Amino acid sequence: MAEIGAFRDAVNGWAAGGPGEPASDLAVRLELRTAVLLEGLSDLAAIEALAARHGRDLAAEGVSVVSMGGAMNVGRYAGLLGPPGLGLRLTGLCDEGEQRFYDRGLQRARAPRGGFFVCVRDLEDELIRALGTERVEEIIRTEGDLRAWQTFLHQPAQRGRPRHQQLRRFLGTKKGRKIRYGRLLVEALDPEQVPAPLDDLLASL
């Protein structure tokens, strides 16, 4: 686990303009074959939680899950990890509104577009729809965030908005909250509730 974390750090350093040798050496040592490109850390937390629920050790299977820090970075990461770089198979999630960035970035990296699975708005939207708003609010109460949630609902900008939209916005209002709830919402899903993009991605690995 420590080495897969070191690989992610090395890739992020490489993407920021650092040397590529540390990432390349770790990819060989870990016998990596696939890189899962995700927009942010909340997506990463959700995918790792889903894999754990299925008894999967992705690192042991030669799979690294990588947070790119934003959809517009996909071209850079695809070039480093895909055919022009380490030659890993690329897959991942993308939001419907960000598909154009993925299409251009993957085309430049000569990577197949078909390995990426599309969320309608984003992963939080998929998870809230899958669980239903009442269940998500129940999780918020269980996690001790009820007061913060009630305060949020009294903000003028939230009055009259659909509950689904309020919940999606709430998850993004505090640093670290999307990451924590990315894992918690996945852990709360029944097997038949897993959103198709998540289910299809895990099945493809």
Side-chain angles (χ1 to χ4, degrees), residues 38-55:
L38 301 172
E39 184 175 342
L41 291 171
S42 61
D43 300 331
L44 188 151
I47 292 297
E48 290 195 330
L50 185 63
R53 283 192 57 178
H54 283 77

Side-chain angles (χ1 to χ4, degrees), residues 46-199:
I47 292 297
E48 290 195 330
L50 185 63
R53 283 192 57 178
H54 283 77
R56 302 273 303 270
D57 183 343
L58 296 181
E61 297 175 24
V63 177
S64 176
V65 186
V66 177
S67 167
M68 302 182 294
M72 288 186 289
N73 294 326
V74 65
R76 177 69 172 155
Y77 279 80
L80 298 179
L81 300 178
L86 299 185
L88 302 179
R89 170 180 168 259
L90 300 180
T91 185
L93 294 174
C94 77
D95 301 342
E96 193 173 60
E98 312 289 2
Q99 279 188 268
R100 63 190 185 280
F101 299 120
Y102 281 75
D103 290 341
R104 288 198 297 265
L106 294 170
Q107 184 177 22
R108 286 198 304 271
R110 304 191 302 279
R113 175 67 183 79
F116 285 76
F117 303 93
V118 180
C119 298
V120 173
R121 295 192 69 181
D122 54 27
L123 184 54
E124 288 74 31
D125 175 77
E126 295 279 354
L127 293 172
I128 293 167
R129 282 193 288 111
L131 285 166
T133 57
E134 290 185 7
R135 180 72 178 103
V136 176
E137 288 189 80
E138 181 183 330
I139 294 167
I140 289 171
R141 287 194 296 272
T142 301
E143 288 299 305
D145 286 331
L146 179 59
R147 180 173 294 181
W149 170 236
Q150 291 174 333
T151 299
F152 173 82
L153 290 177
H154 282 93
Q155 294 177 0
Q158 300 307 318
R159 293 172 187 165
R161 297 185 73 194
R163 191 60 112 214
H164 181 104
Q165 292 181 17
Q166 292 171 331
L167 285 165
R168 181 170 169 267
R169 177 67 185 129
F170 175 74
L171 296 183
T173 55
K174 181 180 177 181
K175 186 175 181 180
R177 184 177 283 156
K178 281 179 70 173
I179 299 170
R180 180 160 63 100
Y181 277 92
R183 174 179 57 80
L184 290 168
L185 297 185
V186 164
E187 290 174 347
L189 292 167
D190 291 331
E192 67 275 8
Q193 290 179 310
V194 177
L198 272 176
D199 201 31

